[in-house]
Amino acid sequence: MRNTTPSTAPVECLAAFGALRAGTAQHTFEIGEGCNHYPPAPEVGRHLATLLHDLATQGSLSLYADPFRGGAKAAFADLLTARFGVTLAAQDITFVQGGTEAISLITHHLANAGHSLTLPLPNYYAFDQSAVRWGAPVERYYRHDGAVQHTGAGSGRRTALVEVLPNGVTGTYYTRPDVSADFTLLDVVFQHGALGDPAGLERAIHDRIRDLDLAHSAVIMTASKDLSLPGLRAAAIITRNQALRAHLAADAFDRAPTAAPLASLLMVLYAGVLHAYHGPAELLGERHHVAQQIAAAHGLPDLPCTGALGRVHAHLDAMADRFRRNAALLADPDGPFAYAPGLTPAAGYSAFPSLSRPRADFLAWVRECGRNGLRLSPTVVHGGTAAAWQALLPGQHLRVNLSESTERTAAGLQYLEAALGRTAASKMAGAASG
């Protein structure tokens, strides 16, 4: 193990983000924000409000001690065991404050243990930023079909492969690269919100988790994206790797003796919702009863009743339908976008189409759009390096958020068409005057 000194240097994608946003008005129209704008289910809000009231009344928020004595971790483990058929225990679970913290903690451990990283492209900026911060060299980037770009860094070290299922920017399933990995980090970002094949999404997650050796891997799960609750910062790390578990336990001294009980209960609710949802509709009551029994066995408050859970499921289905409708808007052959082969989104609120009319001055045009009232999120702000983008995805891709209302999405496409036309008109005028 080696000691690492944190770096404060901005990673390349964050530096590019700052440069592209410079001069952009605060309230600029944006079409690619990385946040689920579909409102949370009212039943989830009511349940959390009741939990918060009860925790405060019982004095549980006035103490550092875990009021459930590890019961939330044990219940979360049991719910995942019931869903996936992989036996888990409370000691395999660590609750943390969001997926970003989980990424940082695991990357710190991997850097200490002498690993280089293999990252997907695009990725959430925290992977690259944590790698720079903790000194874990990124040895490779890979795209959706498994093709790899070697960076020249980290050769000869142990390798950690990062998988994101499905990819949080493209919304697609990636082919794993042909890389021998000593450790695998699986970030499961969307477990609901399939754009047409919910059984396929569940099967992909189920099969991948069952295939992992948790003694040499870790899984991150967060409720923030599916339940539209990023502000609560709730996530779980699942692993049997003893060195990583020791690192997480040691780091907890700096953060807090225990994760906030409300966030822990939110993760139990999330696991309960998913366990009850994924199965035949006629078995919802039975699966919900199992989830209730698990919560009660570990001394936790009741989950929402079967009727309330059914309304949560209906809400999430309506959310997925919005994602699907907006994804279809982007596929309009007369519109400004086109999906590259293999990059049609399958799940989640994010798509990564390319401009159907490419621009020679792509990034300069993005900056101009920002100054003119349309904020865009191009390739280079989504992890990686300029060299990796050029080698793997040289097209002019933009992130589009599928969770906006259909009306706002259509308005964003109109803004984009106007920006393309305005730039073309201004160039023609300049050429004529010259």
Side-chain angles (χ1 to χ4, degrees):
M1 179 177 290
R2 64 191 186 91
N3 294 321
T4 53
T5 301
S7 170
T8 58
V11 72
E12 187 172 324
C13 63
L14 287 181
F17 181 86
L20 289 172
R21 288 290 188 263
T24 301
Q26 183 176 0
H27 300 294
T28 300
F29 193 99
E30 184 168 358
I31 64 172
E33 187 177 6
C35 184
N36 191 350
H37 292 295
Y38 197 80
E43 294 287 357
V44 171
R46 281 190 281 270
H47 180 69
L48 292 175
T50 299
L51 290 177
L52 183 59
H53 175 269
D54 291 347
L55 289 168
T57 300
Q58 296 161 8
S60 299
L61 300 181
S62 304
L63 303 171
Y64 277 129
D66 176 4
F68 305 112
R69 301 180 181 181
K73 292 181 181 180
F76 187 80
D78 285 353
L79 286 164
L80 294 188
T81 296
R83 179 179 168 203
F84 295 120
V86 176
T87 303
L88 295 169
Q91 58 264 34
D92 303 327
I93 309 299
T94 301
F95 289 130
V96 293
Q97 298 182 59
T100 302
E101 182 176 73
I103 292 166
S104 178
L105 288 167
I106 297 171
T107 304
H108 189 186
H109 162 70
L110 293 173
N112 282 348
H115 284 83
S116 64
L117 303 181
T118 297
L119 297 180
L121 193 74
N123 69 63
Y124 180 48
Y125 77 91
F127 286 106
D128 274 290
Q129 184 61 48
S130 294
V132 167
R133 184 184 184 205
W134 298 118
V138 178
E139 187 171 354
R140 308 173 190 86
Y141 291 98
Y142 68 99
R143 69 185 182 198
H144 55 284
D145 61 359
V148 169
Q149 185 256 355
H150 294 268
T151 67
S155 179
R157 296 164 63 103
R158 292 193 286 175
T159 298
L161 171 65
V162 173
E163 298 181 51
V164 184
L165 178 66
N167 186 278
V169 178
T170 67
T172 58
Y173 305 123
Y174 273 37
T175 297
R176 288 192 294 279
D178 186 14
V179 172
S180 178
D182 302 286
F183 189 94
T184 299
L185 171 56
L186 175 65
D187 186 9
V188 184
V189 295
F190 303 117
Q191 299 188 61
H192 198 90
L195 277 63
D197 185 13
L201 174 61
E202 176 65 6
R203 187 166 53 252
I205 297 170
H206 187 281
D207 291 348
R208 189 66 191 109
I209 288 177
R210 286 180 61 89
D211 190 50
L212 285 175
D213 176 2
L214 286 172
H216 300 93
S217 59
V219 179
I220 300 173
M221 290 185 181
T222 175
S224 67
K225 293 179 174 62
D226 285 334
L227 298 184
S228 306
L229 294 168
L232 286 183
R233 312 309 303 148
I237 298 172
I238 305 145
T239 186
R240 294 198 190 100
N241 184 274
Q242 296 300 319
L244 174 56
R245 281 174 21 176
H247 177 88
L248 297 173
D251 185 85
F253 177 83
D254 298 331
R255 293 183 291 121
T258 182
L262 186 64
S264 301
L265 292 176
L266 172 59
M267 291 304 296
V268 172
L269 171 63
Y270 180 51
V273 166
L274 291 170
H275 169 70
Y277 180 84
H278 290 293
E282 63 270 17
L283 296 182
L284 171 62
E286 179 180 325
R287 296 170 74 87
H288 173 253
H289 179 66
V290 170
Q292 285 283 31
Q293 285 185 314
I294 289 173
H298 294 292
L300 302 184
D302 287 342
L303 298 173
C305 67
T306 304
L309 207 62
R311 290 188 288 275
V312 172
H313 291 164
H315 182 91
L316 295 178
D317 286 344
M319 177 184 76
D321 189 55
R322 175 183 286 186
F323 298 169
R324 181 188 57 77
R325 291 196 309 271
N326 285 336
L329 279 179
L330 304 188
D332 181 351
D334 297 322
F337 285 125
Y339 288 122
L343 288 180
T344 301
Y349 61 76
S350 186
F352 204 51
S354 56
L355 288 177
S356 56
R357 301 190 294 277
R359 304 202 53 84
D361 56 345
F362 179 49
L363 295 182
W365 173 77
V366 168
R367 282 192 293 271
E368 181 183 346
C369 286
R371 290 192 292 267
N372 289 330
L374 178 63
R375 185 176 293 170
L376 302 172
S377 295
T379 49
V380 294
V381 305
H382 298 294
T385 63
W389 284 108
Q390 183 59 37
L392 295 175
L393 284 172
Q396 299 181 357
H397 299 271
L398 295 170
R399 182 180 193 167
V400 179
N401 190 316
L402 304 176
S403 69
E404 302 280 10
S405 69
T406 302
E407 293 75 18
R408 182 175 170 85
T409 301
L413 294 178
Q414 291 175 350
Y415 274 116
L416 186 62
E417 288 280 18
L420 288 165
R422 181 170 56 243
T423 304
S426 64
K427 287 203 166 189
M428 289 174 62
S433 63

